[in-house]
């Protein structure tokens, strides 16, 4: 049922905003997810434009989100679950079974991939997960296409009774394009949950469903052959197949060189549009495959060539024609195509004429994590200790001069990795650092494991009252929900005590003396002890007046800079230290280090 | 309007994303097709941040290739030099004269050679305007408005061919109301400075 309002507006939308507005237009009823770059803005945009008819939540982790989404889709709701690529690893348990059970309401699993990677721990390719779980996947080339695809994904999901993946990459998620946004939207009324044995997975049902799902794969391939998301253009016996942002680069490159090569656009990499691809292959002698991350389209073409006994040479990642890792760029695609079709390859862009200083991301000025790390570092100076880290802003504590993150693996791993190291090195003190949102995400089972198995370690929770890295989303410890309600705060210290940790300190890391004492005490305890460092992220507090250095008093020793590496401090040619007032949050950590009382202002 | 690729480069926290959104909004007001692309995430926290704005609708991707940028708006000296190879041979430069030392420089691990960087700008093009963005933003009421000062300079210099009126409208439709006055003032100060400087 379409509502009669029909106002069309041209808006500059980020890919993630376009996906959110497309989902709203498609009548989405329930949206849940866990923040993760580059996917976060999808859920935030739905919440921002929610007229109250959509249920939106940040779930505690991706597995929970997938399960909440499954329940909603069982009940007939149009549902979207959002996460980044590594989040899907966490959600893979419900995903694999859900692919067998299927859905009633349309369910879109929005997973954003991160070639590069720009802000992730892996370059994994979600298209493999689609293939692995036998679920269809749509791969947009532009924000405009993502807007169309998300709407189609809901329809398709209901048509085949399976969840559908929408898999944009960073350059789609975080690019803006003008999109005609229509105010009309589908009014989807969920039927409700109808009891039926089909919702209960048993081995016998799994076998039956497996047969049906396999049959659906060729049906989906046929459907995709008719889809406008797959298309062939151009002419000649040299073909190019491209998907995602690589297709956009290919179009731009071909335009720049004035070429009209035969080009297959693959918008549905799985199930592969076999008939479309076969007729394309029949008309070419060679195919250059352009796709980021893994050779998914390339493998599908190779398989098709073998199956149909087609004599077409397939060039791509497998033979080293295109890079197998990292992001593609206009230049990579242009040069690859130029070489392929016999055009001149332009000279590489000139490098800067002199070496420039690097500028890695750092903990912000005033960040409480800096104070927490510094307290632990001071307290453990000269002692044998290993510091396991986790996923969040505080991973940046690995940089000099703090140098306080010895391991980082995945969400929640700080606590469990520490236990493994402790079992091999009993004389080392293990500190596991974890942020508040990560603690709720997957930290808790690891702590229970340590208590149960009597593994000595010091847990350090860095509680800055937000999910900072992804742009300050709320979590159970803050109790604000995406529906604008306030629930009861889940207290981290109380959870730790309930698990059975007897010694739990809760303090402000900027009280360095107390913090150092607590760390020293905690490190002496037999069993699991915990310190919860509580101080809000600077991005969620009003900016106080900056501290300043009294030039006469500064002896140019540079100790404050060398100890903590605060980005607000800079050193002039006379070696004296200065503080940039626009970024200083007056945390006072530098002041506590200065032996000459040269740093003034209210900390 | 002809194709115009604008690269905004600086240090995380300087407000590049708002700047690229404002150019995008101004372009839409003038019925120009536009794409933008950003770096969001790890790179924000004091790292290099580059925003791409492509006006004119000739491309499907938002990233400006090397040698294609018609204008670079550099929010910080070193980051401008780092991106110079994206400037087209007849492209223009608007550069904030502010320098921000990376922590690696404060720690003495690396050097920040201001003189050499300024020479690199000079060697690249004469079509350049150095702006005291920090000072003008302070004058407007907040150093946070340095991004909008530089946009004003880009328009006032004639390098960015979108109108002053479109930007005022874009500011009013994009920025929250309590910051309208500050941002309009910042824009006008940048515009006025560049307009005078180019005469």
């Amino acid at each position: 049922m379409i509502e009669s309002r029909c106002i069309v507006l041209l808006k500059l939308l980020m890919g993630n905003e376009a996906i959110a507005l497309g989902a709203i237009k498609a009548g989405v009823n329930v949206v849940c997810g866990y923040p993760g770059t580059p996917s976060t803005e999808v859920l935030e945009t739905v919440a921002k434009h929610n007229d109250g008819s959509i249920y939106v939540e940040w779930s505690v982790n991706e597995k929970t989100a997938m399960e909440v989404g499954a329940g909603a889709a069982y009940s007939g709701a149009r549902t979207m679950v959002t996460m980044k690529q590594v989040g899907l690893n966490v959600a893979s348990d419900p995903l694999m079974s859900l692919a067998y059970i299927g859905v009633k309401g349309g369910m879109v699993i929005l997973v954003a991939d991160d070639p590069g990677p720009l802000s992730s721990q892996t370059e994994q390719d979600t298209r493999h997960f689609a293939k692995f779980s036998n679920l269809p996947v749509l791969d947009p080339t532009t924000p405009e296409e993502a807007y169309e695809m998300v709407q189609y994904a809901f329809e398709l999901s209901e048509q085949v009774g399976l969840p559908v993946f929408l898999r944009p990459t960073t350059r789609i998620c975080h690019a803006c394009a003008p999109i005609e946004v229509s105010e009309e939207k589908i009014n989807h009324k969920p039927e409700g949950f109808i009891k039926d044995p089909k919702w209960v997975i048993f081995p016998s049902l799994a076998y039956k469903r497996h047969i049906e799902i396999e049959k659906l794969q060729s049906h989906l391939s046929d459907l995709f052959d008719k889809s406008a998301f797959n298309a062939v253009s151009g002419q000649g016996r040299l073909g190019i197949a491209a998907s995602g942002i690589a297709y956009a680069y290919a179009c731009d490159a071909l335009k720049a060189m004035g070429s009209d090569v035969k080009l297959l656009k693959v918008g549905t990499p799985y199930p592969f549009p076999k008939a479309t691809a076969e007729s394309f292959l029949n008309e070419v002698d060679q195919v250059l495959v352009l796709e980021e991350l893994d050779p998914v389209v390339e493998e599908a073409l190779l398989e098709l060539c073998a199956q149909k006994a087609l004599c077409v040479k397939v060039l791509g990642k497998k033979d080293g024609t295109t890079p197998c890792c990292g992001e593609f760029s206009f230049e990579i695609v242009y040069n690859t195509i130029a070489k392929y079709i016999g055009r001149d390859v332009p000279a590489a862009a000139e490098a800067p004429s002199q070496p420039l200083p690097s500028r890695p991301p750092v903990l912000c000025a005033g960040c409480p994590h800096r104070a927490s790390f510094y307290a632990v570092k001071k307290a453990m100076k000269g002692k044998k200790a290993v510091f396991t880290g986790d996923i969040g802003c505080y991973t940046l504590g690995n940089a000099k001069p703090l140098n306080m993150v010895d391991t980082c693996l995945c969400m929640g791993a700080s606590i469990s990795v520490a236990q493994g190291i402790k079992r091999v090195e009993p004389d080392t003190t293990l500190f596991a650092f974890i942020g508040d949102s990560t603690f709720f995400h997957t930290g808790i089972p690891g702590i229970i494991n340590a208590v149960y198995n009597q593994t000595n370690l010091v847990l350090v929770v860095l509680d800055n009252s937000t999910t900072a890295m992804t742009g300050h989303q709320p979590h159970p410890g803050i109790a604000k929900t995406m529906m604008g309600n306030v629930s009861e705060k889940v207290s981290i210290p109380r959870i730790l005590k309930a698990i059975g940790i007897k010694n739990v300190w809760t303090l402000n890391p900027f009280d360095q003396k107390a913090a150092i004492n607590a760390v020293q005490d905690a490190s002496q305890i037999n069993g699991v002890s915990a310190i919860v460092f509580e101080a809000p992220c600077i991005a969620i507090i009003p900016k106080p007046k900056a501290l300043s250095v009294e030039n006469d008093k500064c002896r140019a020793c540079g100790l404050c800079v060398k100890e903590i590496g605060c980005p607000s401090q800079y050193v002039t040619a006379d070696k004296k230290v200065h503080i940039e007032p626009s970024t200083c949050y007056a945390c006072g950590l530098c002041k506590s280090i200065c032996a000459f009382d040269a740093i003034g202002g209210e900390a | 309007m002809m194709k115009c690729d604008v690269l905004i480069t600086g240090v995380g926290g300087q407000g590049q994303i708002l700047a690229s959104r404002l150019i995008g909004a101004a372009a839409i007001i003038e019925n120009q097709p536009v794409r933008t692309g950003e770096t969001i995430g790890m790179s924000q926290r004091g790292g290099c941040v580059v925003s791409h704005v492509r006006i004119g609708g000739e491309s499907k991707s938002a990233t400006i290739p090397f040698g294609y940028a018609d204008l670079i708006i550099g929010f910080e000296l070193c980051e401008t030099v780092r991106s110079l190879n994206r400037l087209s041979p007849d492209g223009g430069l608007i550069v904030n004269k502010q320098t921000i030392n990376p922590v690696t420089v404060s720690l003495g691990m690396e050097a920040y050679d201001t003189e050499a960087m300024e020479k690199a700008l000079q060697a690249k093009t004469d079509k350049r305007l150095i702006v005291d963005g920090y000072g003008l933003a302070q004058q407007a009421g907040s150093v946070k408005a340095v991004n909008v000062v530089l946009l004003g300079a880009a328009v006032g210099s004639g390098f960015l061919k979108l109108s002053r009126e479109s930007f005022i409208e874009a500011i009013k439709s994009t920025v929250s109301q309590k910051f309208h006055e500050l941002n309009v003032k910042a824009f006008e100060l940048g515009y006025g400075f560049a307009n005078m400087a180019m005469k």
Side-chain angles (χ1 to χ4, degrees), chain A residues 348-466:
Chain A
E350 77 224 63
S353 50
Q354 82 268 18
L356 295 171
S358 59
R359 197 184 292 276
V362 290
L363 293 172
C364 300
C367 175
H369 300 332
R370 181 178 287 107
S372 302
F373 283 129
Y374 190 59
V376 178
K377 188 173 183 169
K378 292 281 274 187
M380 296 312 289
K381 198 171 178 189
K383 298 192 178 116
K384 197 176 173 197
V386 171
F387 310 106
T388 58
D390 224 297
I391 308 281
C393 289
Y394 49 98
T395 317
L396 298 173
N398 76 322
K400 283 178 184 167
L402 289 171
N403 209 1
M404 283 295 286
V405 177
D406 295 325
T407 70
C408 180
L409 184 65
C410 64
M411 293 287 282
S414 57
I415 299 162
S416 340
V417 166
Q419 294 166 48
I421 295 173
K422 183 70 184 176
R423 289 298 168 191
V424 182
E425 275 194 32
D427 62 335
T428 301
T429 307
L430 265 298
F431 285 83
F433 290 92
I434 192 165
D436 40 353
S437 191
T438 311
F439 173 89
F440 290 114
H441 180 280
T442 33
I444 298 169
I447 305 165
I448 298 175
N449 191 63
V451 172
Y452 165 51
N453 290 300
Q454 299 170 299
T455 310
N456 287 2
L457 65 91
V458 184
L459 171 70
V460 182
V461 183
L462 304 170
D463 183 355
N464 63 355
S465 292
T466 188

